[in-house]
Amino acid sequence: MPGLLPLSNRFAGLFQNAQKITGKPYQLERKNPRGKPIAKNKPTPILLLVGNSQIRDYLSSLLAENNYFPLLMTDPEELLHSLKDKQFAIILMDCSAVTSYGTRILSNIRVSCRLCRIIIFCDKEHLHDKLHRELIKEVLNIGVYACILAPYKEWEVLSMFSYFP
């Protein structure tokens, strides 16, 4: 069976090359104060376009605490330009950004990045407003992955990232 050794070496070489392409496997480490394991070196590319500064600060600090480092966008043109340069896995927006720039921005994102998840953050106060209810309905019809209502619980936000391949 001397012919098997070179074949196994080829598979080992392929496996090593695949590791270089996809990145390092996650290393779990207990750093969270609650004792939950947190993965290091998470490769999930995230864009954050949030008009409300309180929501933007909360999301960026929550994600940084859990070793996710989103790119903060200031306007939809910058976001669409970033999508042309690189593929992103997740795009976080709030309903004020969608209201300001219109639902067309979501359609443009869908064209530029067919496989990315778009997650919208909304305030519960908007549910009493018929226009915002229609906006949420339209956004979900466009193909938004999720719409999360305030108050944004840590586990709700982080669960959106944990199941992404």
Side-chain angles (χ1 to χ4, degrees), residues 103-137:
T103 56
R104 183 174 174 96
I105 183 68
L106 299 172
S107 301
N108 291 341
I109 292 170
R110 276 277 155 238
V111 169
S112 299
C113 183
R114 292 185 47 224
L115 299 176
C116 62
R117 290 182 179 176
I118 302 171
I119 300 169
I120 305 290
F121 293 88
C122 287
D123 194 352
K124 278 192 177 178
E125 294 173 7
H126 295 159
L127 292 179
H128 301 293
D129 183 6
K130 186 173 173 80
L131 290 174
H132 268 87
R133 288 176 63 87
E134 290 298 319
L135 176 73
I136 292 171
K137 190 176 183 179

Side-chain angles (χ1 to χ4, degrees), residues 49-124:
L49 177 64
V50 177
N52 184 322
S53 61
Q54 291 175 330
I55 297 171
R56 182 177 50 245
D57 294 342
Y58 170 74
L59 289 174
S60 59
S61 64
L62 174 66
L63 294 173
E65 176 185 307
N66 288 281
N67 295 323
Y68 291 105
F69 300 100
L71 292 176
L72 300 177
M73 299 286 116
T74 57
D75 59 36
E77 289 82 23
E78 183 183 13
L79 184 136
L80 291 172
H81 183 70
S82 296
L83 288 175
K84 290 178 183 176
D85 294 339
K86 183 179 176 186
Q87 279 294 322
F88 287 87
I90 298 172
I91 300 173
L92 305 176
M93 300 177 78
D94 66 343
C95 59
S96 68
V98 177
T99 303
S100 299
Y101 306 122
T103 56
R104 183 174 174 96
I105 183 68
L106 299 172
S107 301
N108 291 341
I109 292 170
R110 276 277 155 238
V111 169
S112 299
C113 183
R114 292 185 47 224
L115 299 176
C116 62
R117 290 182 179 176
I118 302 171
I119 300 169
I120 305 290
F121 293 88
C122 287
D123 194 352
K124 278 192 177 178

